[in-house]
């Protein structure tokens, strides 16, 4: 964690894996002088969205000065819930390939996600080997991070994401928000973004010509947009 009480801190909330590793491509291009904090979620303990929101709130309480929340994918609802709390110093929120309510039909939450994640582990290596070279490094990094987390924890987070609804909180948010949309995102369908726009018409949308893991695949373009957002609301 880098901190300086005189500058705006960018707080990074991770995707489903809940670990910091997949932020490495973005952190490698963040300009010197920018302050950042990455929050890891417990890898062996099941926590609800409400509990994770309190978990994050406890950690950002140590920030002195202004900060911006970035919620990637699974963490978008957490960023939304925190944004609705009017926390002193919280001046902006970025949603990355995320959602305000279940990204798919809620019936999918009843799938045997624990079994699915346990069976997926032996397939990670094969998936990497069969991927195109340009995707292999990203898939490798993602599989490493996913394997740090217990399958039952991943399953619980998946069911939580397929049940969540923070649209009420979203409508009350007063601070500036932007949404990063990947043009080829098949994990979080585009109707999730459209629903957010309908509830938060003043949210700014930025498109990226890539897939769901946009912070990892186009970190320079992502950082350019983040940096511009920081400059605009400073």
């Amino acid at each position: 964690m880098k901190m300086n009480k005189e500058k705006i801190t960018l707080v990074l909330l991770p995707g489903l894996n809940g670990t910091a590793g997949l932020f490495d491509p973005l952190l490698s291009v963040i300009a010197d002088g920018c302050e950042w904090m990455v929050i890891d979620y417990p890898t062996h303990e099941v926590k609800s969205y409400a509990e994770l929101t309190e978990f994050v709130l406890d950690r950002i309480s140590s920030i002195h000065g202004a900060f911006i929340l970035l919620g990637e994918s699974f963490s978008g609802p957490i960023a939304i819930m925190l944004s609705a709390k009017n926390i002193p110093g919280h001046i902006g929120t970025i949603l990355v390939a995320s959602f305000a309510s279940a990204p798919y039909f809620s019936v999918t939450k009843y799938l045997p996600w624990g079994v699915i994640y346990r069976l997926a582990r032996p397939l990670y290596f094969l998936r990497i080997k069969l991927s195109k070279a340009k995707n292999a490094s990203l898939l490798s990094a993602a599989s490493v991070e996913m394997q740090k987390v217990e399958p039952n924890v991943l399953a619980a987070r998946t069911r939580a994401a397929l049940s969540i609804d923070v649209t009420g909180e979203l409508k009350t948010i007063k601070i500036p928000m932007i949404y990063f949309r990947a043009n080829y995102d098949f994990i979080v369908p585009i109707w999730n973004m459209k629903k957010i726009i309908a509830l938060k018409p003043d949210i700014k949308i930025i498109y990226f010509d890539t897939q769901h893991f946009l912070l990892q695949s186009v970190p320079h373009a992502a950082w350019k947009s983040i940096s511009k957002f920081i400059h605009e609301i400073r």
Side-chain angles (χ1 to χ4, degrees), residues 24-222:
D24 286 348
L26 178 65
L27 296 179
S28 70
V29 301
I30 287 181
D32 290 339
C34 177
E35 311 307 316
W36 49 263
M37 172 190 287
V38 178
I39 297 181
D40 289 280
Y41 302 148
T43 58
H44 293 72
E45 182 182 359
V46 172
K47 286 185 177 292
S48 67
Y49 262 120
E51 290 171 328
L52 286 173
T53 300
E54 290 301 314
F55 181 87
V56 174
L57 185 59
D58 179 65
R59 278 147 185 78
I60 62 177
S61 65
S62 65
I63 298 175
H64 299 286
F67 66 93
I68 291 172
L69 284 178
L70 182 152
E72 182 183 30
S73 192
F74 170 82
S75 285
I78 296 173
I80 290 171
M81 285 188 280
L82 289 169
S83 299
K85 290 181 178 293
N86 298 314
I87 302 169
H90 185 189
I91 60 173
T93 295
I94 303 170
L95 301 179
V96 178
S98 194
F99 46 89
S101 59
Y104 293 100
F105 296 114
S106 59
V107 68
T108 54
K109 68 185 178 183
Y110 298 110
L111 292 174
W113 289 106
V115 174
I116 290 171
Y117 284 117
R118 283 193 293 273
L119 293 177
R121 289 192 170 197
L123 297 177
Y124 288 142
F125 179 75
L126 179 61
R127 184 182 176 191
I128 293 166
K129 287 298 183 182
L130 294 178
S131 298
K132 296 179 180 179
K134 66 178 181 179
N135 296 329
S137 60
L138 175 56
L139 285 171
S140 179
S143 68
V144 167
E145 295 305 308
M146 293 289 276
Q147 290 183 75
K148 292 178 180 178
V149 189
E150 288 295 316
N152 68 305
V153 174
L154 292 172
R157 288 177 188 165
T158 301
R159 288 192 294 269
L162 295 171
S163 304
I164 193 66
D165 187 340
V166 293
T167 53
E169 290 88 341
L170 178 63
K171 290 186 289 187
T172 69
I173 296 173
K174 304 300 182 184
I175 59 176
M177 298 182 70
I178 57 174
Y179 184 100
F180 287 4
R181 168 68 190 173
N183 291 330
Y184 305 108
D185 189 347
F186 300 109
I187 295 178
V188 177
I190 192 169
W191 64 262
N192 290 276
M193 179 194 75
K194 292 180 178 178
K195 187 170 186 177
I196 288 173
I197 294 173
L199 296 168
K200 181 71 174 172
D202 60 342
I203 192 169
K204 182 178 181 181
I205 310 298
I206 302 176
Y207 295 89
F208 297 83
D209 197 27
T210 186
Q211 42 70 51
H212 181 71
F213 292 97
L214 70 87
L215 295 179
Q216 295 74 29
S217 55
V218 288
H220 288 89

